[in-house]
Amino acid sequence: MRQFLLPIASLLLGSAFLFFAGGVTGMHLPLRGTFEGFSSLSLGLLGTGWAIGYVTGCLSVPKIVQRAGHIRAFGVMASLACLSVLASSLLVDPIAWIAFRSVAGFAFAGAAMIVESWLTERSDPSNRGVVFGTYTMVNLAATTGGQVVLSMGPIDGFEFFVIASMFYVVALIPTAVTRTPAPAPLAQVKLDIRRLWRNSPVAVVAVVLTGVSNGSFGTLAAVYGGKVGLPIASITLFVSSSILAGAFAQVPIGMISDRTDRRYVVIAIAVVALAADSMFLFADTSSANIAIASAVIFGAAIYTFYPVLVAHANDHADAGDAMQTSGGLLLMLGVGSMIGPFLGGVLMSVFGSIGLFMSTFAAHALILAFTLWRLTQRSAVAESEKSVFVPSAPTRTATPQTIILADEEVAKEMEVDELSEQPSS
């Protein structure tokens, strides 16, 4: 494994610094906004702004990379992310913060795409799984580490703005001094809603609703924790435990979904998610133990929706359409992520802290109802025609380069299977 990872160590290190800074900022801004008296709607719109910037970055950054090259484009993205954090420290205003988060989302998508495309080209079929798995674990650990840092000091000062900015700047160094050759230009993914709908209505509807649910929780979970009276240390555990649960749940859920009609798996996940929603709506989550236990169940459910739905859509896609299908669903997830934080913020403004889980309950109930209905409209795909389940990092939406990496991994497995089926001479 060492010989696989050493050549890309600088890229993994730069990505770790990037995600660490993202973890700090993603939790700090909602908590600081609550301290400053921002409304729940304004705090929700921070997530909407970030999602708009992220989707825009996925669509437009490939053109920037083609013009400026990977290293300079990565420098631009990290600089924009740093500027968004520093500007937020100088101008403490909800409208300004929404705009700054949009810039950060754009920069974060672009930087992640650049690193992922680099890793894609620097790996080969024999080690791609190791590279991608290590990359995912590094990012997950860095994000969690950035969140945990919030428990080490007061949120009303300037320190966490500075820490995040420093790590965005430090993220520039490994890629700037690396000798790793720059990869080929980034791929672009086009959104064809009609084609996606013809391919899999369940995937389209459920992915948008998953974006609604995950986007609202990802943005407002820390705000919820503050409103129910959890201390900062418990809030960091509350948020990070849901992410870790989602990461660990993906392997068993993927194994189950590969062996049955994936729609049944979506229904089961929706039932578990609704049970977790109900715990937040009716249990006393001012107790840190109850809140964290509920978050573990909740995260294990909501962060497994997306990879199961992508696999389900690819089950019905034509052989050459896997990447376009996955990329289109990625952008549909972004659309839902724009709606979710806004809806959650509105409901929290009207109903208080439980408004967040009223929005997620509604999303999960709609996923359940629509999937049950679709079971009566289409037969399950044959086992021989099913695609391979590919886990995805639960801390953010993927990028088109992640899809390319997964698509090539699937192609490699299909090629191995074909070779094994050929008679020996």
Side-chain angles (χ1 to χ4, degrees), residues 230 234 284-295:
L230 297 179
S234 296
D284 180 17
T285 51
S286 61
S287 165
N289 290 334
I290 294 176
I292 293 171
S294 301

PDB file of all heavy atoms in Angstrom, residues 230 234 284-295:
ATOM      1  N   LEU A 230     -27.731  22.055  24.150  1.00  0.00           N
ATOM      2  CA  LEU A 230     -26.529  21.234  24.231  1.00  0.00           C
ATOM      3  C   LEU A 230     -25.290  22.125  24.303  1.00  0.00           C
ATOM      4  O   LEU A 230     -25.218  23.154  23.627  1.00  0.00           O
ATOM      5  CB  LEU A 230     -26.419  20.318  23.010  1.00  0.00           C
ATOM      6  CG  LEU A 230     -27.512  19.268  22.801  1.00  0.00           C
ATOM      7  CD1 LEU A 230     -27.235  18.481  21.512  1.00  0.00           C
ATOM      8  CD2 LEU A 230     -27.601  18.328  23.986  1.00  0.00           C
ATOM      9  N   SER A 234     -20.893  18.782  23.127  1.00  0.00           N
ATOM     10  CA  SER A 234     -21.930  17.818  22.758  1.00  0.00           C
ATOM     11  C   SER A 234     -22.447  18.072  21.346  1.00  0.00           C
ATOM     12  O   SER A 234     -22.804  17.124  20.633  1.00  0.00           O
ATOM     13  CB  SER A 234     -23.090  17.879  23.763  1.00  0.00           C
ATOM     14  OG  SER A 234     -22.673  17.483  25.047  1.00  0.00           O
ATOM     15  N   ASP A 284     -36.900  13.797  24.457  1.00  0.00           N
ATOM     16  CA  ASP A 284     -36.228  14.914  25.122  1.00  0.00           C
ATOM     17  C   ASP A 284     -34.774  14.950  24.677  1.00  0.00           C
ATOM     18  O   ASP A 284     -33.892  14.365  25.310  1.00  0.00           O
ATOM     19  CB  ASP A 284     -36.329  14.761  26.640  1.00  0.00           C
ATOM     20  CG  ASP A 284     -35.637  15.914  27.381  1.00  0.00           C
ATOM     21  OD1 ASP A 284     -35.384  16.951  26.739  1.00  0.00           O
ATOM     22  OD2 ASP A 284     -35.363  15.754  28.583  1.00  0.00           O
ATOM     23  N   THR A 285     -34.512  15.633  23.575  1.00  0.00           N
ATOM     24  CA  THR A 285     -33.154  15.676  23.036  1.00  0.00           C
ATOM     25  C   THR A 285     -32.285  16.741  23.692  1.00  0.00           C
ATOM     26  O   THR A 285     -31.177  16.998  23.236  1.00  0.00           O
ATOM     27  CB  THR A 285     -33.202  15.921  21.509  1.00  0.00           C
ATOM     28  OG1 THR A 285     -34.023  17.047  21.237  1.00  0.00           O
ATOM     29  CG2 THR A 285     -33.734  14.696  20.790  1.00  0.00           C
ATOM     30  N   SER A 286     -32.799  17.370  24.772  1.00  0.00           N
ATOM     31  CA  SER A 286     -31.919  18.252  25.545  1.00  0.00           C
ATOM     32  C   SER A 286     -30.897  17.425  26.318  1.00  0.00           C
ATOM     33  O   SER A 286     -29.888  17.956  26.783  1.00  0.00           O
ATOM     34  CB  SER A 286     -32.736  19.110  26.514  1.00  0.00           C
ATOM     35  OG  SER A 286     -33.446  18.298  27.436  1.00  0.00           O
ATOM     36  N   SER A 287     -31.157  16.121  26.440  1.00  0.00           N
ATOM     37  CA  SER A 287     -30.174  15.198  26.997  1.00  0.00           C
ATOM     38  C   SER A 287     -29.174  14.850  25.909  1.00  0.00           C
ATOM     39  O   SER A 287     -29.547  14.376  24.832  1.00  0.00           O
ATOM     40  CB  SER A 287     -30.863  13.925  27.506  1.00  0.00           C
ATOM     41  OG  SER A 287     -29.916  12.899  27.738  1.00  0.00           O
ATOM     42  N   ALA A 288     -27.902  15.077  26.180  1.00  0.00           N
ATOM     43  CA  ALA A 288     -26.872  14.853  25.169  1.00  0.00           C
ATOM     44  C   ALA A 288     -26.849  13.398  24.717  1.00  0.00           C
ATOM     45  O   ALA A 288     -26.681  13.119  23.525  1.00  0.00           O
ATOM     46  CB  ALA A 288     -25.505  15.258  25.710  1.00  0.00           C
ATOM     47  N   ASN A 289     -27.021  12.457  25.639  1.00  0.00           N
ATOM     48  CA  ASN A 289     -26.969  11.040  25.276  1.00  0.00           C
ATOM     49  C   ASN A 289     -28.090  10.670  24.314  1.00  0.00           C
ATOM     50  O   ASN A 289     -27.872   9.948  23.334  1.00  0.00           O
ATOM     51  CB  ASN A 289     -27.056  10.176  26.529  1.00  0.00           C
ATOM     52  CG  ASN A 289     -25.804  10.271  27.383  1.00  0.00           C
ATOM     53  OD1 ASN A 289     -24.724  10.571  26.882  1.00  0.00           O
ATOM     54  ND2 ASN A 289     -25.945  10.032  28.682  1.00  0.00           N
ATOM     55  N   ILE A 290     -29.314  11.174  24.590  1.00  0.00           N
ATOM     56  CA  ILE A 290     -30.444  10.878  23.706  1.00  0.00           C
ATOM     57  C   ILE A 290     -30.242  11.529  22.347  1.00  0.00           C
ATOM     58  O   ILE A 290     -30.503  10.932  21.298  1.00  0.00           O
ATOM     59  CB  ILE A 290     -31.767  11.341  24.350  1.00  0.00           C
ATOM     60  CG1 ILE A 290     -32.059  10.522  25.596  1.00  0.00           C
ATOM     61  CG2 ILE A 290     -32.923  11.232  23.357  1.00  0.00           C
ATOM     62  CD1 ILE A 290     -33.302  10.965  26.349  1.00  0.00           C
ATOM     63  N   ALA A 291     -29.763  12.770  22.340  1.00  0.00           N
ATOM     64  CA  ALA A 291     -29.553  13.488  21.081  1.00  0.00           C
ATOM     65  C   ALA A 291     -28.515  12.786  20.218  1.00  0.00           C
ATOM     66  O   ALA A 291     -28.704  12.612  19.009  1.00  0.00           O
ATOM     67  CB  ALA A 291     -29.136  14.926  21.363  1.00  0.00           C
ATOM     68  N   ILE A 292     -27.400  12.364  20.818  1.00  0.00           N
ATOM     69  CA  ILE A 292     -26.329  11.723  20.050  1.00  0.00           C
ATOM     70  C   ILE A 292     -26.775  10.350  19.555  1.00  0.00           C
ATOM     71  O   ILE A 292     -26.499   9.970  18.407  1.00  0.00           O
ATOM     72  CB  ILE A 292     -25.048  11.629  20.901  1.00  0.00           C
ATOM     73  CG1 ILE A 292     -24.502  13.042  21.159  1.00  0.00           C
ATOM     74  CG2 ILE A 292     -23.998  10.770  20.204  1.00  0.00           C
ATOM     75  CD1 ILE A 292     -23.370  13.090  22.161  1.00  0.00           C
ATOM     76  N   ALA A 293     -27.479   9.594  20.408  1.00  0.00           N
ATOM     77  CA  ALA A 293     -27.985   8.286  19.977  1.00  0.00           C
ATOM     78  C   ALA A 293     -28.957   8.442  18.809  1.00  0.00           C
ATOM     79  O   ALA A 293     -28.921   7.659  17.842  1.00  0.00           O
ATOM     80  CB  ALA A 293     -28.666   7.581  21.149  1.00  0.00           C
ATOM     81  N   SER A 294     -29.813   9.447  18.884  1.00  0.00           N
ATOM     82  CA  SER A 294     -30.753   9.699  17.784  1.00  0.00           C
ATOM     83  C   SER A 294     -30.005  10.101  16.523  1.00  0.00           C
ATOM     84  O   SER A 294     -30.383   9.703  15.408  1.00  0.00           O
ATOM     85  CB  SER A 294     -31.738  10.799  18.188  1.00  0.00           C
ATOM     86  OG  SER A 294     -32.478  10.447  19.346  1.00  0.00           O
ATOM     87  N   ALA A 295     -28.928  10.892  16.692  1.00  0.00           N
ATOM     88  CA  ALA A 295     -28.149  11.331  15.530  1.00  0.00           C
ATOM     89  C   ALA A 295     -27.453  10.163  14.848  1.00  0.00           C
ATOM     90  O   ALA A 295     -27.317  10.149  13.617  1.00  0.00           O
ATOM     91  CB  ALA A 295     -27.122  12.382  15.965  1.00  0.00           C
TER      92      ALA A 295
END
